[in-house]
Amino acid sequence: MRDGYIKVAAVTPKVKVADPAYNGQVIFQKLKEAEEERAVVVVFPELCITGYSCGDLFLQETLLRSAKEELIKIAADTNGKNMLVFVGLPISWNGNLYNVAAALCQGKILGLVPKMHIPNYNEFYEARHFAKGMEEPVNVRLTEEITVPMGSHLLFSPDSMPELKVGVEICEDVWVPNPPSISHALAGANLIVNLSASDEITGKDIYRESLIAGQSARLLCGYVYASAGEGESTQDVVYSAHNMIAENGTILGSAKRFCNESVYSEIDVQKINAERRRMSTFEGNTGNYQEITFPLKIEETVLTRFIDPSPFVPGKTEKRQKRCEEILMLQSMGLKKRLEHTGCKCAVIGISGGLDSTLALLVTVKAFDMAGIDRKGIKAVTMPGFGTTDRTYDNAVNLIKSLNADFLEIDIKEAVRVHFRDIGQEETCHDVTYENGQARERTQILMDVANKENGMVIGTGDMSELALGWATYNGDHMSMYGVNVSVPKTLVRHLVQYYADTCDEETLRKILLDVLDTPVSPELLPPEEGKISQKTEDIVGPYELHDFFLYHMLRSGFGPAKIYRLALKAFEGTYEKEVILKWLKTFVRRFFSQQFKRSCLPDGPKVGTVAVSPRGDLRMPSDASGQVWLAQLEKIL
């Protein structure tokens, strides 16, 4: 439970219909299994103590009394177990019968949550037996010694982790237009549990999964859905035990149907709460809710959920291709609008033969085509310098020609030498002045060509470079419109690959594939034996690590210690922990110190959920201290 993770389980026992004593035994066995898995919130199906499919037997006092007695035994079984358990049963009160979820912890019955929406259509006839539940809690006397609150407006929160609040709904409740979980979430519930008995028909599983995922997304919450399965009566319908765990729109775990398979995963409560804080339209309303606290020991939660090492890049090919197509369109539409607004028929872009400038040129070509502007209006400029290699030069020239853009070559070496003489810089001194002098000379050329041609300079720098400040201030940092400004480096590669795979031009495809195979480099230092001597990732660290850090810092609001923990799991077997820590320190230090570059970014389109524009997603002071973040990292090793 440290770092905000809480392990949850959706469990389906193989019940016997109308046999509470037997069902209590199998529930107890499942609790032992859940305890071994270190689950701390365990959810069983609707009416699991009796079985959901008892029919008119629910009207029998014998069954109801037996169910209540078994509930008390199951509650006693939770004593000494570090978990909050939800089981379903029928409860009679004030002349009505209620379908309830009982919350159990440390031998006690904490409360009863009744079902609010009683289906009575098609194969369902619950209104024959059950009454609609009440919202405001009432006191229900179960025995002479036990009185507990019952009502839908109950929330359960551990005394050791008050940031976790659990709300309950039962089956049909989530299928209606206004589910109780909406009120629960607005009252603070960030984990919703659903005790269900959803029968199976063809195609229903697809809708059910989208429903649960959608509800967790809409409410910014975790959602644990436990459904009845084998053991229920098959007189007229079949139950599949389609158990699911979702978080913020993502299904973390889903059971194989018809197997009574238990599902375990970890809900990230910190992430949920960070999302809610970020979304100003998530307006809380505590209403008339009663919060019930329970004891829970804080333990280290072993992560079993998948931690994606490439959070910006979809893992599945189909989704990745769709993402790439969409991003290329967003970039191109952004530039097309700017061209039309300014009446500009000319774009000036520096082409190095590297990934970023290649993507920017592809986007510019697409924007010109959509706007109906001749590609010859694209002034693609190669500017060989002291570090330019034959490979990147040839790729730049061939790329420009294959796309039918207007090719310009302007060698910067002599102009830079003159500048070095003016400022007293020795050409043999390969320091930051040596590097940035070349970068600024290139930008000056692009800006002046744009003035001369009545065009606009298209920026090529990507979001990963901006996050690290790996850009020369007023050099490649500056443009008139930056098409890559919110594209992370790890995604740039896939966008170029997607273009290569779909362009239907073999010559262009071969050029793009060679660009993809070229090491990332600013090429500002002289080559060694004709090959690139300056590799960016050797200097600032692997971009796949930095993109991982960037995503979890800005998208999830995580601190460095938690990001480090996630990175250890995501990159296990790829990077040693010392390497991850080294580059995470670099990332944090540079992220804070380089904000001044991001504060004056040129315009450019946002394409994903993470962006660093000072006018949009990142309103951060340029002189903020990163000491609190760095101090957290110093405690790790």
Side-chain angles (χ1 to χ4, degrees):
M1 290 175 286
R2 290 188 176 92
D3 290 332
Y5 287 106
I6 184 124
K7 189 156 191 176
V8 299
V11 180
T12 301
K14 186 177 180 179
V15 300
K16 286 185 179 180
V17 178
D19 191 345
Y22 174 84
N23 296 339
Q25 292 176 10
V26 294
I27 289 171
F28 175 65
Q29 289 300 318
K30 291 294 184 181
L31 280 176
K32 288 176 65 177
E33 293 174 15
E35 184 180 28
E36 291 172 0
E37 294 289 337
R38 309 290 289 274
V40 294
V41 176
V42 183
V43 187
F44 288 89
E46 179 180 12
L47 296 169
C48 60
I49 291 179
T50 58
Y52 173 79
S53 47
C54 291
D56 281 357
L57 294 178
F58 283 127
L59 301 177
Q60 296 289 316
E61 178 65 26
T62 301
L63 181 66
L64 299 180
R65 185 182 300 113
S66 178
K68 184 166 63 174
E69 290 170 355
E70 202 57 41
L71 171 66
I72 294 170
K73 291 179 184 178
I74 295 169
D77 287 338
T78 65
N79 193 32
K81 292 180 170 61
N82 192 45
M83 57 175 61
L84 173 66
V85 179
F86 294 92
V87 293
L89 77 158
I91 288 288
S92 177
W93 181 75
N94 265 11
N96 285 315
L97 187 62
Y98 296 92
N99 178 347
V100 308
L104 317 174
C105 182
Q106 293 295 341
K108 295 182 179 179
I109 303 170
L110 302 179
L112 305 172
V113 179
K115 190 171 185 175
M116 300 301 294
H117 299 276
I118 311 300
N120 218 52
Y121 57 87
N122 297 340
E123 65 267 39
F124 305 108
Y125 50 93
E126 288 186 32
R128 181 180 176 91
H129 312 116
F130 297 105
K132 175 184 172 68
M134 69 291 295
E135 289 185 349
E136 293 192 31
V138 297
N139 289 323
V140 174
R141 188 180 179 190
L142 298 178
T143 68
E144 288 186 11
E145 298 83 16
I146 302 174
T147 299
V148 298
M150 180 171 73
S152 71
H153 282 194
L154 292 178
L155 297 182
F156 303 91
S157 181
D159 50 16
S160 57
M161 193 180 179
E163 62 269 28
L164 171 66
K165 299 185 191 302
V166 185
V168 185
E169 55 189 7
I170 301 176
C171 199
E172 183 74 10
D173 288 343
V174 75
W175 297 75
V176 301
N178 185 23
S181 50
I182 295 177
S183 296
H184 299 346
L186 294 177
N190 43 26
L191 176 60
I192 304 295
V193 301
N194 187 314
L195 291 71
S196 180
S198 181
D199 63 310
E200 204 62 66
I201 56 176
T202 301
K204 189 176 182 180
D205 62 312
I206 298 172
Y207 181 79
R208 186 190 295 118
E209 188 166 303
S210 67
L211 178 70
I212 299 307
Q215 192 69 351
S216 72
R218 181 185 186 191
L219 300 182
L220 301 176
C221 71
Y223 203 106
V224 183
Y225 182 91
S227 193
E230 187 179 5
E232 291 287 356
S233 172
T234 59
Q235 181 174 350
D236 292 300
V237 295
V238 173
Y239 301 87
S240 70
H242 190 191
N243 298 329
M244 287 176 281
I245 298 171
E247 178 188 284
N248 286 2
T250 299
I251 298 293
L252 300 178
S254 181
K256 183 179 180 181
R257 292 181 299 152
F258 307 107
C259 296
N260 282 26
E261 182 181 25
S262 298
V263 178
Y264 296 89
S265 191
E266 300 80 40
I267 298 294
D268 191 343
V269 178
Q270 277 187 6
K271 182 175 182 179
I272 289 167
N273 290 340
E275 287 290 314
R276 289 184 175 184
R277 287 194 299 269
R278 184 189 308 273
M279 187 174 288
S280 60
T281 52
F282 193 96
E283 299 173 357
N285 180 12
T286 54
N288 55 345
Y289 275 77
Q290 178 180 341
E291 187 171 304
I292 298 173
T293 59
F294 60 93
L296 197 64
K297 184 171 66 174
I298 294 293
E299 296 178 338
E300 186 76 33
T301 301
V302 177
L303 295 180
T304 61
R305 61 188 281 178
F306 174 66
I307 306 298
D308 194 344
S310 301
F312 289 111
V313 183
K316 294 183 178 179
T317 302
E318 184 179 346
K319 287 186 176 181
R320 185 167 61 248
Q321 289 177 339
K322 184 178 184 297
R323 178 79 57 85
C324 289
E325 181 181 0
E326 188 175 32
I327 290 175
L328 285 167
M329 182 59 71
L330 286 168
Q331 292 175 279
S332 303
M333 286 297 293
L335 179 56
K336 175 177 177 284
K337 164 64 177 176
R338 183 55 54 96
L339 292 168
E340 291 176 343
H341 174 72
T342 59
C344 185
K345 304 292 184 183
C346 173
V348 179
I349 181 168
I351 305 300
S352 65
L355 276 172
D356 288 346
S357 65
T358 294
L359 176 60
L361 180 57
L362 296 174
V363 168
T364 304
V365 166
K366 188 176 180 67
F368 267 57
D369 289 350
M370 290 191 301
I373 305 173
D374 190 337
R375 291 187 185 183
K376 289 300 180 182
I378 302 172
K379 308 299 179 184
V381 189
T382 61
M383 294 169 283
F386 302 127
T388 303
T389 61
D390 291 342
R391 182 181 186 181
T392 54
Y393 173 80
D394 289 342
N395 280 337
V397 174
N398 293 333
L399 179 67
I400 294 167
K401 291 181 177 179
S402 69
L403 290 169
N404 295 317
D406 191 21
F407 170 68
L408 286 82
E409 180 176 332
I410 302 174
D411 193 304
I412 68 167
K413 291 189 284 294
E414 187 56 36
V416 172
R417 288 190 178 103
V418 171
H419 178 60
F420 283 172
R421 289 198 298 271
D422 289 342
I423 65 172
Q425 170 74 17
E426 293 292 334
E427 189 177 331
T428 56
C429 179
H430 296 167
D431 58 5
V432 68
T433 306
Y434 178 88
E435 295 186 38
N436 287 349
Q438 297 173 72
R440 292 195 178 98
E441 178 60 29
R442 285 176 171 140
T443 299
Q444 174 180 256
I445 289 169
L446 294 175
M447 290 289 181
D448 291 344
V449 169
N451 288 160
K452 183 173 179 290
E453 300 290 343
N454 194 27
M456 67 171 64
V457 176
I458 307 303
T460 62
D462 63 58
M463 182 170 67
S464 304
E465 293 176 342
L466 289 166
L468 292 165
W470 190 251
T472 300
Y473 193 83
N474 205 34
D476 53 311
H477 158 261
M478 191 48 59
S479 68
M480 296 168 184
Y481 194 77
V483 292
N484 295 340
V485 72
S486 66
V487 182
K489 182 74 79 176
T490 48
L491 193 52
V492 169
R493 179 171 296 277
H494 288 281
L495 289 166
V496 174
Q497 180 71 60
Y498 172 77
Y499 203 103
D501 292 341
T502 58
C503 68
D504 294 327
E505 297 176 37
E506 188 58 28
T507 301
L508 176 58
R509 180 177 177 276
K510 287 182 178 179
I511 297 167
L512 295 178
L513 292 179
D514 196 61
V515 170
L516 285 162
D517 194 45
T518 304
V520 177
S521 173
E523 290 194 311
L524 297 172
L525 297 182
E528 296 176 358
E529 298 180 356
K531 295 184 178 180
I532 292 172
S533 64
Q534 184 184 24
K535 297 179 181 178
T536 297
E537 291 180 294
D538 290 344
I539 303 168
V540 295
Y543 274 116
E544 62 178 343
L545 282 179
H546 288 308
D547 282 358
F548 183 88
F549 303 152
L550 176 66
Y551 179 88
H552 287 290
M553 182 176 184
L554 293 189
R555 182 70 180 87
S556 306
F558 292 162
K562 183 169 182 176
I563 294 173
Y564 173 70
R565 182 187 178 192
L566 295 179
L568 289 181
K569 181 171 176 59
F571 295 99
E572 186 177 6
T574 304
Y575 296 104
E576 297 293 331
K577 61 182 182 180
E578 295 83 5
V579 174
I580 292 173
L581 183 60
K582 170 189 173 181
W583 294 123
L584 180 53
K585 288 180 178 179
T586 297
F587 173 83
V588 173
R589 185 177 63 253
R590 292 190 67 99
F591 182 82
F592 277 90
S593 67
Q594 301 295 301
Q595 173 61 24
F596 73 99
K597 295 180 183 177
R598 298 187 291 270
S599 291
C600 56
L601 278 180
D603 292 353
K606 177 180 177 179
V607 301
T609 56
V610 177
V612 294
S613 168
R615 297 169 296 278
D617 291 68
L618 189 60
R619 316 291 176 87
M620 174 180 166
S622 298
D623 48 6
S625 171
Q627 186 54 41
V628 173
W629 286 260
L630 290 168
Q632 203 176 101
L633 290 174
E634 292 301 328
K635 296 177 182 178
I636 292 176
L637 288 178

